[in-house]
Amino acid sequence: MSSSKGTRFRVLVLSGPNLAELGRREPEVYGTESYQTIMTELVAVARETCAVECVARQSNHEGQLIDWIASAAEDGFAGIVINPGALTHTSIALLDAVRGCALPCIEVHLSNPEAREAFRRRSYVGRACLGKVAGFGKESYLLGVRGLLAHLERTTTTKARHA
Ligand code: DQA
């Protein structure tokens, strides 16, 4: 499968509420690099090392995230990597959107929610995701892209074999 600019797959990388504040927001938990810096690096590294085209979007609004998820397949994305922020722990609407979008989805977090407050231990979105990467700071996004790519390569090859 080919995509634009010689890349193999297009991946939508979504970030939810308050993640635009990275670098300023609780740096002891989330690090000192800005959202922009992290995403610029992710886009470049994913293209160079995985031949994946990442398109990064962030919103503080649940409805906007749901709209992006709902149109992702139509918009030419092969899969989604999502850090839903606090909506991870509260949003059944986001869970339904991921379930309904028919694309493979990976949940990522900079911190490890399991090791934090009890209310962060539940993930609704995770119930519809292929897998989760948490606790590796900005690297969680890249690891999520790599996991998604492995899945896409596996399933694409399988389909091609059976074609
Ligand atoms: C987060 C973890 C969430 O619990 C929190 O609400 C966030 C960031 C993370 O990336 O570690 O906003 O998703």
Side-chain angles (χ1 to χ4, degrees):
M1 185 183 187
S2 67
S3 161
S4 64
K5 300 172 208 148
T7 49
R8 287 178 288 173
F9 296 103
R10 252 182 120 223
V11 168
L12 179 60
V13 180
L14 290 180
S15 298
N18 301 308
L19 289 161
E21 302 309 312
L22 289 175
R24 291 183 290 267
R25 172 193 182 202
E26 300 181 82
E28 66 289 358
V29 178
Y30 300 115
T32 53
E33 288 181 74
S34 71
Y35 169 80
Q36 207 48 59
T37 302
I38 291 171
M39 289 304 142
T40 301
E41 185 184 307
L42 175 71
V43 168
V45 175
R47 185 184 296 129
E48 281 156 30
T49 66
C50 312
V52 166
E53 183 193 351
C54 286
V55 175
R57 297 179 184 159
Q58 186 278 333
S59 178
N60 291 332
H61 304 281
E62 189 177 29
Q64 175 65 84
L65 294 166
I66 290 169
D67 288 347
W68 283 333
I69 293 167
S71 64
E74 207 178 295
D75 294 342
F77 293 105
I80 300 173
V81 168
I82 184 168
N83 180 352
L87 291 173
T88 308
H89 320 298
T90 61
S91 179
I92 296 169
L94 216 47
L95 163 63
D96 286 347
V98 170
R99 261 202 190 131
C101 79
L103 289 179
C105 192
I106 310 286
E107 175 185 351
V108 301
H109 299 281
L110 294 116
S111 68
N112 179 6
E114 300 285 332
R116 299 177 64 192
E117 302 96 322
F119 61 80
R120 293 185 203 275
R121 289 186 200 136
R122 173 168 63 190
S123 169
Y124 284 107
V125 165
R127 300 176 73 105
C129 288
L130 271 181
K132 173 159 98 171
V133 182
F136 297 98
K138 66 176 181 179
E139 296 300 328
S140 292
Y141 281 100
L142 184 60
L143 292 168
V145 170
R146 288 189 195 280
L148 178 61
L149 175 62
H151 169 81
L152 291 171
E153 285 182 327
R154 204 164 47 237
T155 52
T156 304
T157 306
T158 305
K159 270 185 209 146
R161 257 208 310 269
H162 295 308

